[in-house]
Amino acid sequence: MSDIRNSPFLFTVGAFVALFVTIQSLVFIAGAWKEGKRLGLSATIMRKALSGSAVFSVVPSIAILLAVLTLAGALGLPLPWIRLSVVGAITYELPAAETAAQAFGTTVKTSITDPTVFSAIAWAMSIGSVFAMILIIIFAKSIQSGIHKAQIKDTAWSGLLISAMFMGLISAFLGNALGGGLISILALLSSAAVMALFGLAIKKAGFKQLENFAMPVSMLSGMAVAALYALATGGVAS
Amino acid sequence: MSTGTTLTESQYDINIHRNGRLWMLAAILVTQGVPLAISLYFDVWPPFGTLLAGLVPTIIVFWPIAIIEVLTYTPMLGSGGTYLGFVTGNLSNLKVPAAISAMQQAGVEPSTKEGEIISTLAVGASSLVTNLVLVLGVVLMSYLLPVLESPALKPAFANLMPSLFGALGVVFISRNWKISVAPLVLMAGLFIAVPTLPVGILIPVGALVSIAVARLLYRKGMV
């Protein structure tokens, strides 16, 4: 079977998903606009909210596009495009894809050309992210009406819990990278160093607008160092 | 008609939850329909047991995070913003800051009727822009596919994981280094000793260790 990752069929599915998201956004904007007028909000304020948010979103959206690019080597273009158009974020999609790939004895470090593994990764990414949507259907109304507000009283602990969960995930993958040899350690250290520089620039020098680019640029730097190192050593490291 | 800021239930409130749930249901069908379409069209069905083994680590880590995200972001985004934002994703890095910034600029508060409207408009506009940027970017990048697949870039993509987690590590370690030490030392030791260990099994182990350490330090007032 030819490579299904970049097949016209998958691009068509991607276009359908993009259309779905566009229509939903337009329907919600129209509904909110109508209700806003009924409440007496001026058209100027509402137009400002729309245009302000649109401008605000351009740079982070380019960062999301770069995340699509990082996944494209393993999974082709359409699947990362679809996943980052709905529900996803790179910090979820990549670990989800990798753990699924590993269950099938492979890794997203290589191009996923086996159709069965590719479909398994698509299933894993999709099923893994459905839980929040189910919770919203069941609980969003009651949360909005205040019933569940009490449950998150201890915000300090819930914030720490998220950090701890991520730290478990990160430590497993960092350990894995250390076991991956010199090139893998170089990529890790380079991206960490670039992220640390971004951190300094954002926190110490006040360049807040760099925030959105910190993650994708750090990732691309790590990847670029790996490619350059392989080139310099004649492709022995991969 | 009430123009006040308290949340008494209007027709909009009733409709937004009914329509929001329908849209969310449709979004579940669309998102789960993508792998289904792949399996049906290409006639490839991954063996269930292996798929489940690959899915369990993701569920263990990300489903509890989903609960906290729902409880945290729903009051911030309002009803419309929630039903739309949780479909279009990228919440913490885009939708939530976009909504909060729009509400600040409009001088309205979250969890008010006006906040609900401004937040929904902001999340909607943000989703449209992301969609547009991604569509344009993917069209452009489809011409670059041969470059992306070139042998020179293979080592770059082969090191995608260390590149993500190197950067993510810096973010989380600098945020709270005390809870990072134990899981990091444990995992580094394990992988240096046995480099072929499957990550999937070690993710829940790492998560349990860091949660236990975090709880301990939290109780002692050290974090």
Side-chain angles (χ1 to χ4, degrees):
Chain A
M1 193 183 290
S2 64
D3 185 7
I4 64 175
R5 298 172 307 154
N6 291 307
S7 61
F9 174 74
L10 270 180
F11 275 106
T12 313
V13 173
F16 173 75
V17 172
L19 187 67
F20 175 83
V21 175
T22 304
I23 293 172
Q24 188 186 359
S25 304
L26 291 173
V27 168
F28 274 66
I29 288 173
W33 184 277
K34 210 171 132 195
E35 176 68 3
K37 268 170 78 179
R38 196 188 69 80
L39 287 173
L41 280 172
S42 78
T44 318
I45 286 183
M46 291 196 285
R47 216 174 289 130
K48 235 180 172 175
L50 282 172
S51 58
S53 174
V55 172
F56 180 94
S57 303
V58 172
V59 173
S61 299
I62 294 171
I64 295 168
L65 181 65
L66 292 179
V68 172
L69 178 71
T70 62
L71 288 171
L75 301 174
L77 267 180
L79 186 60
W81 167 37
I82 292 167
R83 293 297 317 157
L84 291 169
S85 297
V86 278
V87 193
I90 185 73
T91 42
Y92 160 77
E93 304 296 344
L94 187 48
E98 176 65 3
T99 45
Q102 286 203 4
F104 284 81
T106 181
T107 165
V108 293
K109 293 170 191 168
T110 57
S111 299
I112 304 292
T113 48
D114 182 325
T116 309
V117 181
F118 180 77
S119 74
I121 289 175
W123 276 108
M125 287 167 129
S126 306
I127 298 172
S129 65
V130 78
F131 189 51
M133 300 164 92
I134 296 171
L135 290 177
I136 292 292
I137 290 180
I138 302 172
F139 295 114
K141 191 174 180 184
S142 52
I143 293 172
Q144 288 302 346
S145 53
I147 292 169
H148 286 270
K149 267 182 190 156
Q151 286 186 3
I152 199 138
K153 241 190 227 160
D154 196 350
T155 47
W157 169 242
S158 64
L160 210 57
L161 191 63
I162 288 195
S163 290
M165 290 272 190
F166 265 111
M167 222 33 247
L169 179 87
I170 291 166
S171 59
F173 277 105
L174 280 180
N176 191 29
L178 288 180
L182 184 59
I183 189 167
S184 160
I185 295 172
L186 271 178
L188 188 159
L189 292 177
S190 313
S191 87
V194 175
M195 178 53 95
L197 286 178
F198 267 108
L200 285 177
I202 293 162
K203 286 198 181 128
K204 305 278 179 208
F207 290 114
K208 258 194 101 56
Q209 63 274 32
L210 290 177
E211 228 161 32
N212 291 305
F213 280 98
M215 183 55 73
V217 172
S218 303
M219 280 179 78
L220 290 173
S221 307
M223 292 164 73
V225 167
L228 290 173
Y229 179 77
L231 203 66
T233 53
V236 256
S238 65
Chain B
M1 295 268 170
S2 160
T3 54
T5 54
T6 51
L7 271 180
T8 49
E9 201 164 71
S10 68
Q11 195 56 42
Y12 173 85
D13 298 320
I14 297 164
N15 286 345
I16 194 73
H17 287 295
R18 194 196 58 209
N19 295 341
R21 282 171 171 162
L22 286 175
W23 275 102
M24 194 56 87
L25 206 59
I28 290 176
L29 293 177
V30 168
T31 51
Q32 305 310 304
V34 170
L36 183 65
I38 293 172
S39 285
L40 284 171
Y41 186 82
F42 296 106
D43 197 20
V44 280
W45 298 90
F48 182 73
T50 323
L51 175 62
L52 195 64
L55 194 54
V56 165
T58 303
I59 289 176
I60 288 176
V61 172
F62 284 99
W63 285 23
I65 290 175
I67 297 175
I68 298 172
E69 282 189 344
V70 167
L71 287 170
T72 310
Y73 295 145
T74 303
M76 289 184 195
L77 291 172
S79 307
T82 294
Y83 288 114
L84 186 56
F86 274 88
V87 169
T88 54
N90 287 293
L91 286 164
S92 59
N93 56 336
L94 178 53
K95 303 295 170 7
V96 171
I100 289 174
S101 140
M103 284 187 276
Q104 270 172 355
Q105 277 172 17
V108 298
E109 293 290 325
S111 300
T112 61
K113 281 176 181 287
E114 291 81 0
E116 160 79 31
I117 301 305
I118 299 297
S119 169
T120 307
L121 292 174
V123 174
S126 176
S127 303
L128 288 176
V129 169
T130 303
N131 219 358
L132 186 67
V133 169
L134 287 186
V135 168
L136 291 176
V138 166
V139 169
L140 280 176
M141 276 201 280
S142 62
Y143 291 102
L144 295 175
L145 270 178
V147 182
L148 293 178
E149 311 254 312
S150 71
L153 286 185
K154 269 221 164 92
F157 287 113
N159 288 287
L160 181 59
M161 305 300 294
S163 302
L164 170 69
F165 285 99
L168 212 54
V170 168
V171 174
F172 277 87
I173 294 167
S174 66
R175 196 180 287 174
N176 214 322
W177 67 270
K178 285 180 189 164
I179 62 168
S180 322
V181 177
L184 275 177
V185 169
L186 175 73
M187 291 300 154
L190 280 173
F191 276 102
I192 288 168
V194 192
T196 50
L197 280 171
V199 165
I201 296 170
L202 290 171
I203 291 172
V205 177
L208 281 176
V209 169
S210 28
I211 290 168
V213 171
R215 190 68 200 172
L216 196 75
L217 294 175
Y218 181 68
R219 282 205 167 160
K220 291 192 168 178
M222 291 168 72
V223 283

